[in-house]
Amino acid sequence: MANATDHLWMHFTRMASYSAGEVPTIVRGEGAYVWDAQGRRYLDGLAGLFVVNAGHGRTELAEAAAKQAGELAYFPLWSYAHPKAVELAERIAALTPGDLNRIFFTTGGSEAVEAAWKLARAYFKRTGKPNKYKVISRYIAYHGTSMGALSITGLPGIKSDFEPLVPGAIKVPNTNYYRAPEHGDDPEAFGRWAADEIGRAIEREGPDTVAAVFLEPVQNSGGCFPPPPGYFDRVREICDAYDVLLVSDEVICSWGRLGEYFGAVRYGYQPDIITTAKGITSGYAPLGAMIASDRLMEPFLTETGMFAHGVTFGGHPVSCAVALANLEVFAREDLVGHVRANEAAFRATLEKLYDLPIVGDVRGDGYFYGIELVKDKTTRETFNEAESERLLRGFLSTALFQAGLYCRADDRGDPVIQLAPPLIAEQQHFDEIEQILRTVLTQAWTKL
């Protein structure tokens, strides 16, 4: 639309890039596809933003929203409840691992992460360890944009404008095995080393000052880093040894993205807190949650106890109704099982791209993959900053979209293309993704 830049300030967008052209405007979606204002169709290879897990055009989700808005459009969860929040909390608790039975609703992922850090601090203050306030997270990891969540985030490029941030956020190595600084020939040894770096960081900071470790099951930023074998088992041991909470940030990795309702289940570890959002409603309404263990709520169950935190629209009745309808779709169509049944085919289809000289690594799990681009496959040489700028923003982002594929070309870390299609995707969609990537990446190689 010609007037899109007159008043609309888009998120994470170089607004100047549209000074001489129209902003791409998406007007409708159906299944795994979206259409723009000119009627062109695109395969949604990113599920919007790792969000539309059940696919576009689900009229039953829209109808659930309309029905709830007609009954009770809004009421806060501040000392009151409403039926949909109660029902959804019970439904979520039945799906979480272990004793993660306490659901604190937010409106999105950053708020959920913010709530988790605040809970960790408050919990230790109320249990006689007031100096435990620091958090550990991984390099390049993204955990949100509110000031606390941004402090936990490990991306200097999106933090510098807002510093100084919240103190106490410590960074450790991530699990990028393709560029492992240690044990590059042994995934299990690399995983042990990466986990032990968390323990060493706790020791450096002082165990009596560290409250929590925030980790994604598969780290998104940097291009889908799965955990090496044994990694989370060792992290759990370290957290237990030092009385540190393990927070599984599953804003992306929950609700079927990895072939389970929660990534912690996929990789067999027990968190103390799960943060979630995005796919909980498949994007049909905004909703997030911090899911805590029974143990963490105990200090707040005294006669005058209160977790002094909340947000106006957390657990909005319409959003909760949509989430319940979304989970009905998941159950009826077994979308989680669909991912498990098809993830090997998705991987195999993407791995066909290994014959291209620009493709260095294909990594991920479930319906969540990153393809790392390199200058030299043998040496794994990456692109410098100027080359990456020309490759990703100067060519690939536009070329992929024009070819009919919406995905992410990103260099928060080394250059990657990220893919996370709706969970309804099947072989025909995998083939379409591979064919478009093959054509565009072949063109990209000739322009280097």
Side-chain angles (χ1 to χ4, degrees):
M1 300 175 70
N3 61 347
T5 57
D6 292 346
H7 305 288
L8 179 63
W9 197 335
M10 291 176 286
H11 300 202
F12 282 106
T13 299
R14 296 180 181 183
M15 297 297 291
S17 64
Y18 295 114
S19 59
E22 289 193 5
V23 176
T25 304
I26 303 302
V27 297
R28 71 179 183 93
E30 183 67 34
Y33 295 93
V34 294
W35 283 259
D36 68 13
Q38 284 71 46
R40 291 186 293 260
R41 190 185 78 167
Y42 306 88
L43 175 57
D44 185 358
L46 206 61
L49 194 63
F50 317 102
V51 172
V52 191
N53 288 9
H56 298 276
R58 294 280 190 172
T59 56
E60 63 262 56
L61 302 190
E63 290 165 358
K67 182 174 185 292
Q68 180 58 45
E71 294 175 359
L72 179 66
Y74 174 74
F75 209 80
L77 294 178
W78 300 47
S79 301
Y80 299 87
H82 59 76
K84 294 304 182 184
V86 174
E87 185 180 350
L88 180 59
E90 183 178 19
R91 183 76 174 267
I92 293 171
L95 296 171
T96 54
D99 67 341
L100 295 173
N101 295 316
R102 305 293 184 162
I103 289 70
F104 184 96
F105 287 116
T106 66
T107 61
S110 291
E111 287 179 0
V113 170
E114 203 83 17
W117 193 2
K118 291 181 76 172
L119 176 61
R121 288 185 170 203
Y123 170 79
F124 282 116
K125 285 185 184 298
R126 288 170 177 263
T127 55
K129 297 181 179 181
N131 294 324
K132 289 175 80 72
Y133 71 94
K134 298 175 184 175
V135 295
I136 292 171
S137 58
R138 298 184 291 201
Y139 293 131
I140 312 178
Y142 177 88
H143 293 282
T145 53
S146 55
M147 293 300 276
L150 186 60
S151 302
I152 299 171
T153 291
L155 292 161
I158 68 170
K159 295 163 68 167
S160 58
D161 277 351
F162 313 108
E163 293 174 327
L165 297 173
V166 181
I170 315 303
K171 304 298 179 289
V172 296
N174 57 47
T175 59
N176 183 1
Y177 183 62
Y178 184 66
R179 298 198 176 277
E182 302 278 348
H183 307 292
D185 59 346
D186 186 340
E188 191 167 348
F190 170 66
R192 176 81 180 205
W193 170 83
D196 283 343
E197 284 294 299
I198 295 172
R200 285 186 275 271
I202 293 172
E203 285 287 350
R204 287 194 301 270
E205 296 298 318
D208 60 340
T209 72
V210 179
V213 176
F214 281 71
L215 303 172
E216 297 165 276
V218 173
Q219 181 175 316
N220 169 44
S221 187
C224 301
F225 305 145
Y231 174 78
F232 275 111
D233 290 339
R234 179 59 181 151
V235 171
R236 183 71 265 180
E237 290 176 0
I238 291 167
C239 288
D240 289 342
Y242 292 110
D243 192 19
V244 170
L245 304 182
L246 174 55
V247 181
S248 189
D249 184 354
E250 306 207 17
V251 170
I252 290 174
C253 292
S254 50
W255 311 113
R257 179 57 55 193
L258 298 175
E260 297 286 351
Y261 278 102
F262 293 97
V265 175
R266 167 74 187 243
Y267 300 117
Y269 64 93
Q270 180 61 52
D272 299 293
I273 299 173
I274 288 175
T275 55
T276 187
K278 294 187 184 288
I280 190 172
T281 65
S282 287
Y284 285 71
L287 186 66
M290 175 192 67
I291 308 169
S293 70
D294 291 328
R295 166 175 78 100
L296 296 183
M297 193 172 189
E298 287 176 6
F300 303 94
L301 294 177
T302 63
E303 186 174 343
T304 59
M306 178 180 67
F307 180 41
H309 178 58
V311 290
T312 299
F313 293 110
H316 192 285
V318 172
S319 296
C320 289
V322 171
L324 286 164
N326 183 53
L327 292 180
E328 286 299 321
V329 171
F330 269 64
R332 183 176 71 244
E333 300 182 13
D334 190 18
L335 292 183
V336 174
H338 181 78
V339 172
R340 287 197 300 269
N342 289 278
E343 64 175 338
F346 189 26
R347 176 189 290 273
T349 303
L350 294 178
E351 286 180 343
K352 292 179 181 179
L353 297 169
Y354 270 132
D355 66 350
L356 299 180
I358 198 172
V359 174
D361 193 29
V362 177
R363 54 181 178 253
D365 276 322
Y367 274 24
F368 189 29
Y369 277 89
I371 300 171
E372 183 167 335
L373 308 178
V374 295
K375 289 172 68 175
D376 189 304
K377 289 169 75 93
T378 302
T379 65
R380 302 186 182 181
E381 180 184 1
T382 191
F383 299 90
N384 63 36
E385 186 174 346
E387 291 168 335
S388 182
E389 176 73 16
R390 292 196 304 271
L391 174 65
L392 296 181
R393 280 165 286 279
F395 177 71
L396 279 178
S397 293
T398 300
L400 288 167
F401 192 66
Q402 290 177 342
L405 176 62
Y406 168 70
C407 60
R408 171 181 276 179
D410 191 24
D411 60 352
R412 295 179 297 176
D414 297 300
V416 295
I417 292 172
Q418 282 188 282
L419 298 159
L423 308 189
I424 59 171
E426 299 179 328
Q427 188 61 53
Q428 68 188 69
H429 304 110
F430 308 154
D431 289 339
E432 187 175 350
I433 289 171
E434 189 271 340
Q435 289 161 12
I436 292 173
L437 286 173
R438 177 173 296 279
T439 298
V440 175
L441 289 176
T442 299
Q443 293 171 353
W445 185 252
T446 68
K447 295 179 180 294
L448 295 176

